[in-house]
């Protein structure tokens, strides 16, 4: 009998092994440093890799969610992979970082104990986080983003699959 060939997955179904920085002027892609991308984290939620990359307004640093204490946390690093610092220590984890326009704060989605996920703002100078939302229902994604002048944050809320965007007005 003739052996049957092993099926090859379609290229669109194969995830890349590394994350990249894309230069919009040249189209050149550069792999992010191993110190940022790291190894797989086998947690209670399955494999977890760094996600939610957000470049600082001046383009020199990267905020991202990666394995830390108490699950995924927000880290900040220089683009070359040096100066890595875990900046959140939320009991249930933190993800979806977004820089303020002046680069002094990071909005993120976080968990505190058994509460549903909420929106927080971290002051990078002091390390203090301020909770901005107090919903009794989980946010379906959160995805906070600062307005260009930094006076408001927009985020996704609502029922799963029926998210709406809502503004939060500062100061933060």
């Amino acid at each position: 009998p003739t052996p049957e060939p092993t099926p090859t997955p379609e290229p669109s179904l194969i995830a890349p092994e590394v994350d990249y920085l894309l230069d919009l002027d040249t189209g050149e892609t550069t792999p992010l440093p191993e110190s940022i991308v790291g190894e797989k984290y086998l947690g209670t939620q399955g494999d977890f890799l760094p996600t939610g990359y957000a470049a600082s307004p001046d383009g020199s640093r990267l905020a991202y969610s990666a394995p830390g204490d108490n699950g995924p946390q927000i880290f900040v690093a220089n683009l070359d992979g040096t100066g890595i610092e875990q900046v959140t220590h939320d009991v249930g984890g933190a993800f979806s970082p977004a820089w303020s326009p002046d680069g002094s704060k990071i909005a993120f989605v976080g968990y505190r104990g058994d509460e549903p996920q909420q929106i927080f703002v971290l002051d990078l100078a002091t390390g203090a986080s301020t909770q901005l939302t107090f919903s009794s229902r989980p946010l379906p994604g959160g995805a906070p983003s600062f307005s260009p002048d930094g006076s408001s944050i927009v985020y996704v809320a609502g029922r799963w699959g029926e998210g709406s965007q809502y503004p939060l007005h500062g100061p933060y």
Side-chain angles (χ1 to χ4, degrees):
T2 306
E4 292 190 28
T6 303
T8 303
E10 293 186 35
S12 63
L13 302 176
I14 300 173
E17 294 295 321
V18 62
D19 297 331
Y20 294 92
L21 175 68
L22 172 64
D23 185 315
L24 295 177
D25 291 331
T26 66
E28 180 182 351
T29 57
T30 306
L32 289 175
E34 182 66 26
S35 58
I36 292 176
V37 176
E39 297 293 324
K40 282 189 176 182
Y41 166 69
L42 298 174
T44 58
Q45 301 297 314
D47 290 355
F48 179 79
L49 295 171
T51 61
Y53 298 113
S56 63
D58 68 3
S60 67
R61 297 183 294 167
L62 199 60
Y64 57 97
S65 182
D69 55 13
N70 302 315
Q73 299 293 333
I74 306 297
F75 289 77
V76 173
N78 297 323
L79 280 178
D80 65 2
T82 63
I84 296 173
E85 179 183 3
Q86 181 178 330
V87 295
T88 62
H89 302 274
D90 283 35
V91 173
F95 55 97
S96 296
W99 291 88
S100 63
D102 67 2
S104 68
K105 296 179 174 96
I106 294 177
F108 65 95
V109 176
Y111 290 95
R112 300 276 164 96
D114 293 332
E115 297 176 17
Q117 64 191 38
Q118 305 291 338
I119 305 293
F120 296 84
V121 169
L122 169 71
D123 183 312
L124 291 168
T126 66
S129 302
T130 303
Q131 185 172 342
L132 302 181
T133 59
F134 297 88
S135 175
S136 60
R137 294 183 344 173
L139 303 172
S145 179
F146 278 91
S147 64
D149 67 1
S151 67
S152 299
I153 292 173
V154 66
Y155 66 99
V156 177
R159 288 183 227 151
W160 291 102
E162 299 176 9
S164 300
Q165 292 189 351
Y166 294 95
L168 292 169
H169 301 287
Y172 304 111

